[in-house]
Amino acid sequence: MTDLAMRVTPARSEALRRAAPALLGYAAVRALGLLVLALWSAMRDKDAYTLLTARWDALWYTRIAELGYGYEVRLPNGDVHSNLAFFPLLPWLERLVAEVSPLSYADGGFVVSLLASLAAAWGIFAVAEHVYGRRVGVCAVLLWAVLPVGVVQSMAYSESLFTALAAWSLYAVLTGRWITAGTLALLAGLTRPVGLAVVAAVWVAGIAAFVRERGAARAPGAGGPGLPRGVPVRRALGMLLAPLGVAAYVLWVGHRTGKGPLGYLDVQAGWRNGFDGGYAFARFVAEKFTSLPSALAGVGLLVGVGLLVWLYVVCVRQRQPLPLLVYAGVVTALALCASSYFGSKPRLLLPAFPLLLPLARSLAGLRTRRSVLLVGAVAVASAAYGGFWLNGSGPP
């Protein structure tokens, strides 16, 4: 074993040891959620594994893994649902698992999501620990696990994979590993359209670093050793790598559809998806107040949006690092201001984990016994909601 390998291995072991409480707590919460889902599904004569791997978007991903792109469904109203709307990294990994093992494509999606969810939990811990300390890191992971739509983290969907890539890219930015950050941003851009949020975080952080260095160099009396040699070059390379994933897929779709660089937007329009600044969502909420029963749902939606805005404001006031603010802001804006199916918005917000850091700081300030009881109670509620949700309307 080389000296470099001997140095790296203990460092990774130490990092895993520090993250172990968060990962074990996360695994326990997700195991509870899957157990409740299995019991709930059995009572309704449904198969929990099918709900996790072979419904809604999971079917589109496995079809891409098996047959590639080109499949579409034409609806009676004229809409065209094309599988070109789905980014390729998850189906690529599903195919890889199926080719190297006896598992099916759907099984591959489940395995990828389980492993990716653990990687995402570790990445969230790494980011939160770096910024606020180990205890906040553990609390941030547990809060992400007990989100009401946390069951999606165990589905053959791309949210867990994307969150893992995004979290580790942000951690790489925070620790100055620019090429790693750019590479992970590239992969995030091959996973979901919201990969643009990771690209934006890398670019804003990179530009801010260049501006700071330029200002420091011009300051009177500037001197000293300066940056290690090659840092600006690595940063620039990381910034160049970051947008290549999302750009490559969008341009490929445009070429395949024959509609140029904006062809992907036409594909999304076939799904009634687009970015309208939140007009459609605002109209959807307003329509809830046309009758008394639905008005309660409207109030709930307003409270939910208000909570998101409040959390982001708190993040700004607490001076979260700029990459986290940019990333969380773009993810939230794209989720709330898109004209997509409104029931999917909680799922689309799942990767916005920096919004949980103010709550994690508050939770970390409680006595351990009290915080454990609180998280345990919320975990039970989340598991129950997950079982109810997937056996009902479920995530679109």
Side-chain angles (χ1 to χ4, degrees):
M1 184 180 292
T2 66
D3 291 341
L4 176 60
M6 292 178 67
R7 290 196 299 271
V8 170
T9 300
R12 289 179 177 173
S13 298
E14 172 62 17
L16 180 58
R17 185 192 67 79
R18 292 185 62 81
L23 297 180
L24 290 173
Y26 177 80
V29 172
R30 292 283 12 103
L32 173 64
L34 293 177
L35 175 61
V36 171
L37 174 64
L39 295 174
W40 199 300
S41 301
M43 290 188 295
R44 294 177 58 88
D45 294 325
K46 292 185 178 181
D47 180 52
Y49 191 68
T50 299
L51 296 176
L52 293 169
T53 62
R55 290 189 69 187
W56 305 292
D57 289 4
L59 289 174
W60 288 88
Y61 283 120
T62 55
R63 185 183 289 273
I64 295 169
E66 182 179 5
L67 303 174
Y69 286 101
Y71 176 77
E72 63 182 29
V73 175
R74 294 184 177 272
L75 304 182
N77 65 356
D79 289 345
V80 178
H81 289 184
S82 168
N83 64 1
L84 290 171
F86 296 88
F87 277 49
L89 186 57
L90 177 57
W92 284 349
L93 294 175
E94 289 178 344
R95 174 174 288 188
L96 176 62
V97 172
E99 289 181 350
V100 301
S101 72
L103 300 176
S104 68
Y105 296 110
D107 296 335
F110 184 66
V111 170
V112 169
S113 290
L114 284 184
L115 295 177
S117 68
L118 288 171
W122 193 355
I124 292 169
F125 171 82
V127 170
E129 183 197 33
H130 179 79
V131 179
Y132 294 120
R134 187 184 186 190
R135 188 175 177 88
V136 175
V138 173
C139 291
V141 170
L142 294 177
L143 288 175
W144 191 66
V146 302
L147 288 173
V149 294
V151 68
V152 175
Q153 298 162 16
S154 301
M155 297 181 67
Y157 271 40
S158 59
E159 273 76 11
S160 289
L161 178 60
F162 174 79
T163 305
L165 294 168
W168 283 109
S169 179
L170 291 170
Y171 178 74
V173 169
L174 294 175
T175 55
R177 297 172 172 88
W178 291 99
I179 295 179
T180 299
T183 302
L184 292 172
L186 184 158
L187 294 173
L190 287 171
T191 307
R192 297 186 62 82
V194 75
L196 289 171
V198 190
V199 176
V202 173
W203 270 74
V204 170
I207 292 172
F210 279 121
V211 170
R212 285 196 304 270
E213 291 158 11
R214 189 176 182 85
R218 290 181 173 180
L227 287 173
R229 189 173 182 179
V231 169
V233 175
R234 290 195 295 273
R235 185 190 302 132
L237 181 56
M239 293 173 66
L240 289 174
L241 286 171
L244 294 184
V246 65
Y249 184 68
V250 167
L251 292 174
W252 178 80
V253 170
H255 174 74
R256 177 163 180 138
T257 59
K259 296 183 179 180
L262 300 180
Y264 183 76
L265 298 181
D266 289 338
V267 170
Q268 286 284 11
W271 287 80
R272 298 292 179 99
N273 291 337
F275 188 87
D276 63 1
Y279 172 74
F281 184 47
R283 188 175 60 183
F284 172 77
V285 174
E287 290 173 351
K288 293 293 182 183
F289 291 93
T290 56
S291 65
L292 183 58
S294 63
L296 295 176
V299 171
L301 289 171
L302 289 177
V303 170
V305 173
L307 177 61
L308 289 173
V309 173
W310 176 76
L311 284 174
Y312 190 77
V313 171
V314 174
C315 291
V316 174
R317 288 179 174 175
Q318 292 183 348
R319 299 181 181 274
Q320 276 191 18
L322 184 60
L324 300 187
L325 293 175
V326 171
Y327 168 76
V330 174
V331 171
T332 304
L334 289 176
L336 294 182
C337 297
S339 58
S340 56
Y341 179 66
F342 304 113
S344 67
K345 292 191 181 295
R347 173 173 66 86
L348 298 179
L349 287 164
L350 197 60
F353 67 89
L355 295 179
L356 297 174
L357 295 185
L359 300 178
R361 294 183 69 184
S362 297
L363 184 63
L366 300 178
R367 294 180 181 271
T368 300
R369 183 174 180 273
R370 182 174 298 179
S371 61
V372 168
L373 290 175
L374 179 60
V375 170
V378 177
V380 171
S382 174
Y385 179 76
F388 167 79
W389 191 43
L390 286 199
N391 279 278
S393 61

